[in-house]
Amino acid sequence: MQLTETPAEKLFRDEIREFVAARLPPDIRDDVLAFKHLGRDHYVRWQLILAERGWGAPGWPTAYGGPGWTVMQRAIFDDECYRGGAPRQIPFGLSMIGPVLMKFGTPEQRAHYLPRIIRLQDWWCQGYSEPGAGSDLASLKTTARRDGDHYVINGQKTWTTLAQFADWMFCLVRTQSEGKPQEGISFVLIDMRSPGVRIRPIRTLDLGAEINEVFLDDVRIPVANLVGTENGGWTIAKFLLGHERTNIAGIGMCRRLSASLKDYARQQTKHGRPLIEDVRFRDRMVKLEIDLLSHEWSLMRLVSLEQAGRPIGAEASMLKIRGSEIQQDLGELLMETAGPYALPFVADALNTGFEGATAAGVRLNSLASLYLDLRKVSIYGGTNEVQKNIIAKSVLGL
Ligand SMILES: Cc1cc2nc3c(=O)[nH]c(=O)nc-3n(C[C@H](O)[C@H](O)[C@H](O)COP(=O)(O)OP(=O)(O)OC[C@H]3O[C@@H](n4cnc5c(N)ncnc54)[C@H](O)[C@@H]3O)c2cc1C
């Protein structure tokens, strides 16, 4: 088990750190580190900079335009991008539909879509969840009926992250209603500009509008947009959900929150002294720092096992649970650095380019919203309760 970086990995880390410091546009970095709501342009600009350097698809093999990095190099890359204040790379293309097309797509689908993902020419969104199908995904009801060379799709998807920016949606649809629910699902690609696609934003607790409902009314797609076989979508759906393993730990976000916490605690004061010198506050910070350190070591342990060829199983569920708990704890303490100023937050100040005033100042204004936004991390990617079920079943044999 390798728990420290080799000299070559240290050099690699330096290279990424220098690149991010030199090439990440300062306006993007400032908005990211102020926890603002980012626009499509923030993500696309940074993605193009990475793509030009050959790092647009860090997890992909060289055959498809990736750098062919080891698992450890990918972890270092993610870490340095987070540390330097870069926007996250949008996962829907790179970590979800990209690997799906590599494994299940036709040569035509791969040749068309994969290069466009690297340059974020196509923004993808994920059409899995429905109002009646979340944890129990196989109960989904959106239908696709074959009509000549087309499928006609009807139904509703929900919680669709950043659908408002999306050009394409990969989508689970029901192509057969008899038999086991899992056996009648197909995996299709929908052009979001097709007639019959309607998007309605869902306003979240933090007053953001990152997630949406997507209504599909008689949407026609060519049969060529089917991935894999008709009724064979469940295997693909599971492959996609299980594909991205290391990011699930949320280490990059934890580190960013931890760095911000220290920064805010140095600047905020209590009884005329920096908050960071308050013994009780420090105790809580130190406890979280220890939690984070042990979480990082767990990830390193698993990354090193994966690098040695052992696939990660239910440990990914453990990383998901722990990572989301730590992010939420850090977010809560971070909000407390603002004290009463966390309360009257102004939603508009979270948008980039805001030039007005807020009671707390723009800097503190985003902390309550961040706290509220972080409620989501124990829900998406499989809720923490469902992750606990997986551990109970496959590790404890219950
Ligand atoms: C911010 C955000 C972004 C999202 N983005 C997307 C997206 O882009 N695309 C997409 O398709 N989906 C997305 N989702 C949906 C997400 O995958 C679902 O919310 C998640 O799978 C849970 O489903 P649900 O919300 O229907 O809750 P339900 O499945 O109805 O669960 C409700 C509660 O019951 C618990 N529960 C359910 N089943 C069990 C069980 N067997 N044992 C114990 N407890 C159980 C859950 O843990 C939860 O607490 C997003 C969700 C959020 C919050």
Side-chain angles (χ1 to χ4, degrees):
M1 180 169 63
Q2 180 204 333
L3 284 179
T4 51
E5 284 166 13
T6 63
E9 284 163 352
K10 284 202 174 75
L11 280 177
F12 178 76
R13 183 180 283 283
D14 290 344
E15 186 188 358
I16 307 283
R17 187 174 296 189
E18 282 160 23
F19 179 83
V20 176
R23 299 298 312 280
L24 177 64
D27 64 308
I28 297 185
R29 188 193 53 225
D30 292 348
D31 286 341
V32 168
L33 293 180
F35 303 108
K36 296 243 177 139
H37 294 151
L38 304 183
R40 180 182 162 124
D41 174 64
H42 287 77
Y43 297 103
V44 173
R45 274 158 69 205
W46 177 233
Q47 182 63 25
L48 280 175
I49 291 169
L50 290 176
E52 268 153 32
R53 180 65 183 79
W55 296 344
W60 289 13
T62 45
Y64 294 113
W69 283 337
T70 62
V71 182
M72 184 62 93
Q73 282 177 308
R74 286 190 52 201
I76 292 172
F77 176 79
D78 285 345
D79 186 29
E80 286 304 322
C81 286
Y82 262 101
R83 193 190 291 265
R88 67 180 180 138
Q89 284 184 283
I90 296 300
F92 304 109
L94 288 173
S95 308
M96 297 186 182
I97 187 66
V100 159
L101 293 178
M102 285 174 211
K103 189 163 170 68
F104 301 97
T106 60
E108 293 74 26
Q109 287 170 338
R110 284 186 212 140
H112 177 73
Y113 295 112
L114 294 180
R116 300 176 62 83
I117 292 174
I118 298 185
R119 298 185 70 77
L120 207 43
Q121 283 163 292
D122 291 332
W123 186 299
W124 286 86
C125 66
Q126 179 183 24
Y128 273 29
S129 304
E130 297 183 3
S135 305
D136 180 17
L137 191 56
S139 62
L140 63 92
K141 292 199 165 50
T142 295
T143 56
R145 179 178 51 80
R146 184 80 184 249
D147 180 20
D149 290 340
H150 286 78
Y151 287 108
V152 182
I153 300 178
N154 279 287
Q156 183 194 342
K157 295 292 169 179
T158 193
W159 312 125
T160 321
T161 300
L162 298 176
Q164 72 271 33
F165 298 155
D167 305 295
W168 285 88
M169 174 163 74
F170 53 86
C171 189
L172 294 179
V173 292
R174 184 156 297 291
T175 33
Q176 178 179 282
S177 48
E178 304 86 52
K180 277 174 69 178
Q182 288 85 346
E183 288 167 3
I185 291 172
S186 299
F187 190 105
V188 297
L189 312 177
I190 299 177
D191 183 339
M192 295 295 274
R193 286 165 298 246
S194 310
V197 176
R198 191 162 52 88
I199 299 171
R200 190 163 70 187
I202 300 175
R203 201 85 161 142
T204 39
L205 269 178
D206 64 317
L207 301 184
E210 203 179 75
I211 53 179
N212 302 273
E213 294 175 286
V214 178
F215 300 91
L216 304 162
D217 296 315
D218 284 332
V219 177
R220 291 179 74 81
I221 62 161
V223 170
N225 289 11
L226 173 73
V227 180
T229 54
E230 192 173 289
N231 298 323
W234 189 246
T235 309
I236 304 178
K238 283 196 301 183
F239 169 85
L240 184 148
L241 288 176
H243 188 77
E244 188 62 9
R245 293 298 196 172
T246 47
N247 268 350
I248 209 165
I251 288 286
M253 189 59 179
C254 286
R255 287 206 184 116
R256 179 176 289 166
L257 291 169
S258 164
S260 295
L261 177 61
K262 287 175 204 153
D263 185 30
Y264 278 78
R266 272 188 210 103
Q267 295 191 34
Q268 292 299 106
T269 54
K270 183 178 173 189
H271 304 311
R273 300 188 60 78
L275 188 56
I276 202 164
E277 292 176 13
D278 179 82
V279 176
R280 291 181 63 197
F281 196 85
R282 265 180 100 93
D283 269 358
R284 292 171 68 195
M285 273 182 60
V286 168
K287 183 191 166 298
L288 279 178
E289 197 63 23
I290 294 169
D291 285 348
L292 175 52
L293 206 59
S294 62
H295 184 51
E296 284 175 7
W297 279 52
S298 300
L299 178 69
M300 288 283 274
R301 199 159 45 87
L302 291 176
V303 164
S304 122
L305 285 175
E306 203 181 14
Q307 193 145 281
R310 175 178 157 317
I312 297 185
E315 294 97 331
S317 298
M318 184 190 79
L319 290 178
K320 157 83 203 318
I321 295 170
R322 214 50 207 117
S324 55
E325 288 171 348
I326 295 172
Q327 285 178 67
Q328 290 178 342
D329 289 347
L330 283 165
E332 184 171 342
L333 200 53
L334 196 48
M335 181 175 70
E336 286 184 27
T337 63
Y341 287 113
L343 196 58
F345 82 91
V346 177
D348 281 347
L350 300 170
N351 297 324
T352 57
F354 175 80
E355 289 183 355
T358 68
V362 171
R363 198 162 168 274
L364 293 181
N365 183 70
S366 53
L367 297 183
S369 136
L370 175 71
Y371 166 82
L372 295 170
D373 183 47
L374 285 169
R375 301 304 93 201
K376 70 186 179 190
V377 293
S378 45
I379 303 173
Y380 66 45
T383 69
N384 282 14
E385 291 78 17
V386 168
Q387 304 296 340
K388 284 178 187 168
N389 282 351
I390 294 171
I391 295 172
K393 209 165 146 187
S394 53
V395 180
L396 305 176
L398 297 174

